[in-house]
């Protein structure tokens, strides 16, 4: 059994807990943007492949206390790193350090761990691995809080919002993990026409398509770091898992619409959806949403509106026009808006029934629900 540190985005912790429990994992603790749990190699693969709200999955290798640098070096040198990274493989180290009395620099902490790994390899095999910061075969992560040290190995590799199906992004993107989590928080109704104004490169639509087709969020991803591990049969279970997915899932006839005025964004969305949306009724159109003639009266609308950060807008004019458009064309619909906050959406003249604080990257944003009457 492994103890896992599973990272997610702020606001998605309960969604991640639900996923881990569904896969048979035991929840040990829930923290800000992460969950500590316990399970076997199948849970490691399941959380990487099946959970759409996971960013990284780490396996705990060792946990100890260290009152000094010397104490740290003695303890970390006892870890059998030769079992986790072979000398022909490359490795990298990342660290987070908080309130530690004997070290306050995460880069120096990473250097200490890197040297310890190399020393263990030399003692056991006479040689050591090279370091590759950009694309390592194996990545170690350490978390130091005061005198508590936890050493992990990264089973995901690249962050899991890199699904493997996307080409290029438009301006002001929403990453795939954020889009997936928002669809779940909004309890996306797959039996209602889905309208995604300002769709950009189609991230919300892509994740909605994956949900409709009952495909695992990371089923298009070609590589996870656990494939580089020789000490457990992660790969075998991964391949069996992908082969177990039904290939001919009956699909709803309900249509999905994406609208954006940006030519490049629309082309990127269309290219992505050519790859993953076979069998789904998806229409991507280059149009001004305020002028677009909707083919449906009632819909489930979800939009990521400009935050007036990278994409500059006249906030009052934009949201007033948005509110007028929704009230005129979408009476009886449900609308979810991801925005920079209530000070912007209040100009819509609609009352939100729910507000959920989230982050888009480092930017605080708010997901609001509106029932349009």
């Amino acid at each position: 059994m492994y103890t896992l540190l599973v990272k997610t985005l702020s606001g998605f912790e309960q969604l991640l807990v639900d996923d881990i429990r569904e896969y048979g994992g035991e929840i040990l603790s829930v923290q800000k943007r992460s969950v500590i749990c316990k399970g076997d190699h199948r849970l490691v693969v399941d959380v990487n492949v099946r959970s759409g709200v996971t960013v990284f999955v780490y396996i705990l290798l060792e946990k100890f206390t260290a009152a000094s640098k010397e104490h740290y070096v003695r303890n970390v040198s006892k870890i059998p790193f030769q079992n986790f990274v072979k000398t022909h493989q490359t490795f990298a180290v990342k660290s987070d350090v908080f309130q530690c009395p004997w070290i306050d620099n995460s880069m120096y902490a990473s250097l200490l761990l890197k040297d310890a790994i190399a020393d263990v390899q030399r003692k056991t095999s006479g040689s050591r691995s090279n370091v590759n910061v950009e694309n390592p075969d194996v990545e170690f992560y350490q978390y130091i809080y005061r005198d508590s040290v936890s050493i992990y190995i990264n089973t995901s590799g690249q962050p899991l919002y890199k699904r493997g199906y996307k080409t290029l992004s438009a301006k002001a993107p929403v990453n795939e993990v954020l889009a997936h989590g928002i669809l779940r928080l909004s309890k996306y109704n797959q039996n209602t026409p889905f309208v995604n104004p300002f769709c950009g490169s189609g991230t919300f639509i892509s994740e909605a398509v994956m949900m409709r087709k009952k495909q695992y969020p990371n089923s298009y991803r070609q590589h996870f770091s656990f494939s580089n591990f020789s000490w457990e049969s992660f790969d075998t279970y991964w391949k069996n898992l992908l082969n177990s997915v039904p290939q001919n899932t009956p699909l709803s006839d309900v249509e999905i619409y994406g609208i954006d005025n940006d030519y490049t964004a629309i082309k990127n969305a269309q290219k992505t959806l050519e790859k993953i949306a076979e069998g789904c009724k998806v229409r991507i159109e280059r149009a001004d949403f305020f002028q677009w003639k909707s083919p449906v009266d009632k819909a489930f609308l979800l939009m990521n509106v400009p935050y007036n950060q990278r994409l500059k807008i006249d906030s009052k004019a934009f949201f007033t026009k948005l509110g007028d458009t929704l009230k005129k064309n979408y009476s009886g619909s449900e609308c979810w808006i991801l925005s920079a906050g209530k000070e912007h959406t209040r100009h819509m003249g609609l009352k939100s029934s729910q507000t959920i604080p989230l982050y888009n990257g480092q930017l605080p944003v708010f997901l609001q629900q509106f029932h349009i009457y």
Side-chain angles (χ1 to χ4, degrees):
M1 296 289 281
Y2 299 113
T3 297
L4 308 181
L5 167 65
V6 186
K7 297 262 191 174
T8 186
L9 301 182
S10 179
F12 295 166
E13 293 87 354
Q14 187 57 50
L15 297 176
L16 179 56
V17 166
D18 294 342
D19 287 349
I20 292 169
R21 284 179 173 152
E22 179 185 342
Y23 312 147
E26 177 188 352
I27 303 298
L28 301 180
S29 67
V30 181
Q31 303 166 3
K32 187 72 171 177
R33 296 188 296 275
S34 65
V35 175
I36 306 290
C37 60
K38 185 172 286 189
D40 61 12
H41 70 285
R42 292 169 296 184
L43 182 66
V44 173
V45 177
D46 281 332
V47 179
N48 270 292
V49 178
R50 298 172 63 186
S51 173
V53 295
T54 298
V55 180
F56 287 108
V57 183
Y58 299 98
I59 292 176
L60 179 67
L61 300 182
E62 192 63 65
K63 186 173 183 178
F64 56 87
T65 58
S68 66
K69 171 188 167 183
E70 292 71 25
H71 194 189
Y72 168 88
V73 172
R74 282 199 303 272
N75 278 282
V76 80
S77 298
K78 297 175 184 178
I79 301 173
F81 289 109
Q82 73 276 10
N83 295 339
F84 306 114
V85 56
K86 303 304 180 183
T87 55
H88 68 273
Q89 295 177 310
T90 60
F91 77 94
V93 174
K94 291 184 178 178
S95 304
D96 284 318
V97 179
F98 300 97
Q99 301 179 33
C100 180
W102 52 269
I103 189 170
D104 60 359
N105 187 307
S106 61
M107 292 183 66
Y108 183 53
S110 294
L111 180 62
L112 289 177
L113 180 54
K114 176 184 73 68
D115 289 345
I117 294 169
D119 288 344
V120 169
Q121 286 185 317
R122 285 196 193 96
K123 288 177 183 177
T124 56
S125 66
S127 61
R128 55 154 291 179
S129 297
N130 290 324
V131 172
N132 184 336
V133 177
E134 297 299 324
N135 188 30
D137 294 317
V138 180
E139 181 184 273
F140 297 94
Y141 169 67
Q142 67 177 336
Y143 180 82
I144 303 176
Y145 178 69
R146 295 181 178 174
D147 64 349
S148 177
V149 181
S150 299
I151 309 293
Y152 298 91
I153 191 168
N154 179 355
T155 72
S156 307
Q158 294 292 312
L160 294 172
Y161 54 74
K162 296 186 177 182
R163 301 283 203 229
Y165 61 67
K166 203 169 186 179
T167 53
L168 300 174
S169 296
K171 290 182 180 179
V174 169
N175 79 40
E176 287 77 356
V177 169
L178 182 58
H180 182 99
I182 285 173
L183 283 164
R184 286 175 61 181
L185 287 177
S186 66
K187 295 180 172 55
Y188 163 48
N189 184 353
Q190 299 183 25
N191 296 315
T192 302
F194 178 32
V195 176
N196 179 206
F198 321 112
C199 68
S201 55
T203 307
F204 279 124
I205 294 173
S206 298
E207 292 296 311
V209 163
M210 299 283 280
M211 288 181 175
R212 285 201 178 184
K213 297 180 75 172
K214 294 181 170 54
Q215 291 182 314
Y216 298 142
N218 283 307
S219 59
Y220 284 94
R221 187 165 160 131
Q222 297 297 307
H223 182 74
F224 299 88
S225 278
F226 60 65
S227 294
N228 297 329
F229 302 166
S230 60
W231 38 277
E232 182 66 90
S233 56
F234 297 104
D235 255 9
T236 301
Y237 180 70
W238 176 29
K239 291 171 184 175
N240 291 338
L241 183 66
L242 293 182
N243 290 334
S244 69
V245 179
Q247 298 299 311
N248 297 307
T249 303
L251 299 176
S252 168
D253 287 334
V254 178
E255 291 187 320
I256 296 174
Y257 302 92
I259 309 100
D260 203 289
N261 224 357
D262 187 297
Y263 175 81
T264 302
I266 287 295
K267 286 298 180 183
N268 289 340
Q270 289 172 337
K271 188 170 183 179
T272 296
L273 290 161
E274 282 176 6
K275 181 176 182 179
I276 68 171
E278 183 180 358
C280 287
K281 293 187 175 181
V282 180
R283 287 173 53 185
I284 306 295
E285 299 182 27
R286 185 187 180 195
D288 181 347
F289 175 65
F290 300 125
Q291 305 297 325
W292 184 63
K293 185 172 177 58
S294 174
V296 295
D297 296 323
K298 294 183 180 180
F300 179 94
L301 293 100
L302 174 60
M303 62 187 83
N304 176 38
V305 298
Y307 305 148
N308 206 22
Q309 297 282 327
R310 287 173 290 183
L311 299 178
K312 297 297 183 181
I313 59 169
D314 180 334
S315 183
K316 182 177 180 180
F318 175 87
F319 283 98
T320 298
K321 194 172 184 180
L322 178 59
D324 291 344
T325 301
L326 292 173
K327 286 178 280 189
K328 179 182 177 182
N329 298 332
Y330 295 95
S331 178
S333 296
E334 178 184 359
C335 179
W336 290 79
I337 298 178
L338 188 68
S339 76
K342 294 180 180 180
E343 67 273 19
H344 302 288
T345 56
R346 65 184 176 86
H347 297 299
M348 291 168 53
L350 292 167
K351 185 177 180 180
S352 65
S353 53
Q354 189 176 172
T355 299
I356 303 171
L358 299 170
Y359 281 86
N360 189 353
Q362 299 298 315
L363 185 69
V365 292
F366 297 86
L367 179 65
Q368 292 178 276
Q369 180 188 33
F370 297 89
H371 293 286
I372 305 166
Y373 299 105

